[in-house]
Amino acid sequence: MTRYEEAKKIYAAMGVDTDAAIAKLKEIPVSLHCWQGDDVIGFDHDGPLTGGIQTTGNYPGKATTPEQLLQDMDKAMSLMPGKKKLNVHACYAIFEDGEFVDRDKLEPKHFAKWVEFAKERNMGIDFNPTFFSHDKVKDGLTLSSPDEETRKFWIEHGKACIRISEYFAKETGIPCVMNIWTGDGFKDIPADRMGPRVRYKESIEAILAEPFDKNLVKPCVESKVFGIGVEAYTVGSAEFSLSFAAMHDGCLPLMDNGHYHPTEVVSDKIPALLAFFPEIALHITRPIRWDSDHVVLFDDETKEMAKEIVRCEGLDKVYMALDYFDASINRISAWVVGFRSWQKALLSALCTPNAFLAELQDKNSMTELMVMQEEIKTLPFGDVWAEYCAQCGVAAGAEWFKEIEKYEQEVLLAR
Ligand code: RNT
Ligand code: ZN
């Protein structure tokens, strides 16, 4: 008997069908963020990263052209099991021969290369307007600015992005999740907290007034508690974003698990939101002490989030996207570790006897529930993971890292 066959029997005794878990996971898309490859810079500007987010580190070999970024993503994806979707930011527009248009004038054609890349690999594309790293961010504000011209520019950007999102969906045949996040806020105590929020609300409404097919484009609003230099107040707070999504049909709340107070957990928020929203979206990251955007690992809260999605039968209702950026280590390895970690978390959640555990809870057998939850932690999950990776044609163990080392020598260090 192989190790997998042995493991399958052990899980079956607990009422878990590991073959079914593997088959299910193969169908679930996870969105891979292009911005891990170049430290959230993009191709449409020379200035620094702004908006209260920051990458740290200076590892050699960063992608600086579209060709390099796509090549790096390809390398990374070749080492990950599972179904992928691309996640692109508007600042990653690819202009042909010296052409340049500002963000309010972006068109689908500026993303044709992304579509070509996605189609060749049978992937959908998610999209993000880029409300940062741009000289039209006025005094740290975009959609919530008191300056009408500034607001208008960014509303036009949002509308352009809706059109581009619909183009992605039509071209790939897969709905496009379009996430609205701004770094708008104040470093120190504001005198008017409501004004910016009312303007932000009206601006998002103006963006969503752009006609689009709700089955093709899924607009989201992402909240955040604070940013670097935006410590006292963010316009798009948790209550703002959640309320906005709740009050606007077809708009989804997006939770980034780095965007809450340190003792709050998104795993607990997922079932709360799924009790009300037909669909929600996630940014999966790893905050250390703050919204540090470390590479996602197979750690407790990551597992807990995946468990909640599976337990709530949310695999078809929760749009999952990775969102982290580490410039201090090999960037391709960062992509791979994060994606594989989330895959492990999902597979492990699918291999959990959720109905049985829920039954123990409902019978108030809390002692046995604790015993069983601890027992599950040492089941031979590694053997199921190895089988899943084998079926997906990727290495199960750390052998994949050899590929990264080779690529670093041959490609990255030659840049
Ligand atoms: C920032 C938000 C946001 C960005 C991306 C690049 O704190 O998490 O989602 O990370 O849009
Ligand atoms: Zn995010």
Side-chain angles (χ1 to χ4, degrees):
M1 215 189 278
T2 65
R3 280 175 60 165
Y4 175 64
E5 281 161 356
E6 196 84 50
K8 187 175 153 169
K9 265 179 54 189
I10 296 169
Y11 275 97
M14 283 227 172
V16 171
D17 180 346
T18 52
D19 285 342
I22 288 172
K24 181 79 201 161
L25 184 53
K26 283 184 193 165
E27 295 167 7
I28 308 299
V30 174
S31 210
L32 184 67
H33 55 316
C34 72
W35 51 93
Q36 163 56 44
D38 74 336
D39 312 340
V40 208
I41 295 299
F43 309 128
D44 77 340
H45 64 99
D46 293 326
L49 174 60
T50 69
I53 55 177
Q54 188 122 57
T55 52
T56 51
N58 196 19
Y59 202 83
K62 168 169 86 175
T64 55
T65 64
E67 293 70 31
Q68 290 176 355
L69 189 68
L70 294 177
Q71 185 190 7
D72 289 357
M73 277 192 112
D74 245 348
K75 185 76 215 173
M77 289 190 292
S78 74
L79 304 171
M80 304 163 176
K83 188 163 170 176
K84 292 113 198 159
K85 201 175 179 190
L86 285 180
N87 206 355
V88 179
H89 241 286
C91 61
Y92 290 79
I94 300 177
F95 301 114
E96 300 284 346
D97 346 283
E99 187 201 359
F100 174 80
V101 299
D102 213 344
R103 292 196 189 153
D104 58 333
K105 302 270 179 339
L106 285 170
E107 287 176 53
K109 68 174 183 193
H110 302 122
F111 295 87
K113 280 245 170 66
W114 285 105
V115 166
E116 193 188 312
F117 182 81
K119 275 175 148 177
E120 279 166 11
R121 290 155 188 77
N122 275 318
M123 292 186 289
I125 311 178
D126 291 333
F127 199 45
N128 307 260
T130 310
F131 297 105
F132 53 84
S133 302
H134 192 281
D135 56 11
K136 293 224 164 54
V137 179
K138 191 166 187 267
D139 306 326
L141 304 176
T142 61
L143 292 174
S144 71
S145 170
D147 177 56
E148 197 181 333
E149 213 182 296
T150 300
R151 276 199 321 277
K152 241 192 114 225
F153 175 85
W154 291 109
I155 290 168
E156 286 309 316
H157 175 54
K159 286 170 169 283
C161 288
I162 296 253
R163 296 190 290 268
I164 294 160
S165 297
E166 196 166 63
Y167 155 75
F168 285 155
K170 284 186 175 152
E171 288 288 326
T172 62
I174 299 168
C176 173
V177 174
M178 191 195 98
N179 179 44
I180 296 176
W181 170 75
T182 74
D184 289 24
F186 296 112
K187 180 185 170 94
D188 222 324
I189 320 298
D192 174 14
R193 291 170 187 272
M194 188 165 162
R197 288 190 175 132
V198 171
R199 289 192 291 267
Y200 191 23
K201 170 177 177 279
E202 288 170 358
S203 294
I204 307 173
E205 283 167 348
I207 291 172
L208 300 184
E210 179 70 18
F212 64 94
D213 182 339
K214 284 187 184 153
N215 295 312
L216 297 182
V217 180
K218 310 276 178 176
C220 308
V221 195
E222 178 180 11
S223 70
K224 185 161 173 171
V225 63
F226 82 97
I228 303 170
V230 193
E231 285 84 1
Y233 165 91
T234 52
V235 184
S237 62
E239 293 73 16
F240 173 89
S241 304
L242 196 52
S243 306
F244 187 94
M247 303 294 281
H248 293 80
D249 195 31
C251 185
L252 282 56
L254 186 146
M255 296 190 289
D256 178 313
N257 64 301
H259 290 188
Y260 296 88
H261 290 282
T263 65
E264 285 183 75
V265 281
V266 163
S267 53
D268 187 61
K269 299 177 192 293
I270 291 167
L273 264 53
L274 285 176
F276 295 91
F277 289 92
E279 294 182 318
I280 64 170
L282 290 184
H283 271 181
I284 302 150
T285 185
R286 180 167 54 106
I288 296 194
R289 305 188 195 288
W290 69 292
D291 183 27
S292 60
D293 282 307
H294 280 69
V295 176
V296 172
L297 302 179
F298 186 45
D299 60 18
D300 283 349
E301 174 54 11
T302 305
K303 290 184 208 173
E304 205 60 27
M305 287 192 290
K307 271 197 259 176
E308 286 303 337
I309 296 169
V310 170
R311 283 168 177 164
C312 299
E313 293 182 6
L315 282 170
D316 306 327
K317 301 177 190 160
V318 182
Y319 295 98
M320 300 174 276
L322 301 180
D323 179 19
Y324 55 80
F325 21 94
D326 194 335
S328 74
I329 55 175
N330 182 298
R331 292 174 184 79
I332 297 151
S333 181
W335 257 324
V336 178
V337 169
F339 195 91
R340 289 173 67 105
S341 298
W342 183 244
Q343 290 279 302
K344 282 181 193 160
L346 289 172
L347 186 62
S348 157
L350 285 161
C351 290
T352 302
N354 293 308
F356 166 64
L357 296 175
E359 208 180 290
L360 292 178
Q361 174 180 321
D362 289 347
K363 285 195 301 193
N364 196 32
S365 301
M366 303 313 266
T367 313
E368 189 181 351
L369 178 59
M370 180 194 278
V371 170
M372 291 315 295
Q373 295 206 111
E374 284 307 290
E375 199 53 37
I376 286 162
K377 290 181 182 171
T378 51
L379 291 179
F381 173 68
D383 296 332
V384 184
W385 169 251
E387 174 67 16
Y388 174 62
C389 287
Q391 288 188 25
C392 293
V394 304
E399 307 92 87
W400 62 263
F401 186 61
K402 294 252 174 324
E403 285 284 311
I404 298 272
E405 284 179 310
K406 192 163 157 257
Y407 189 79
E408 179 168 307
Q409 284 306 319
E410 290 171 2
V411 180
L412 300 182
L413 293 178
R415 284 179 183 164

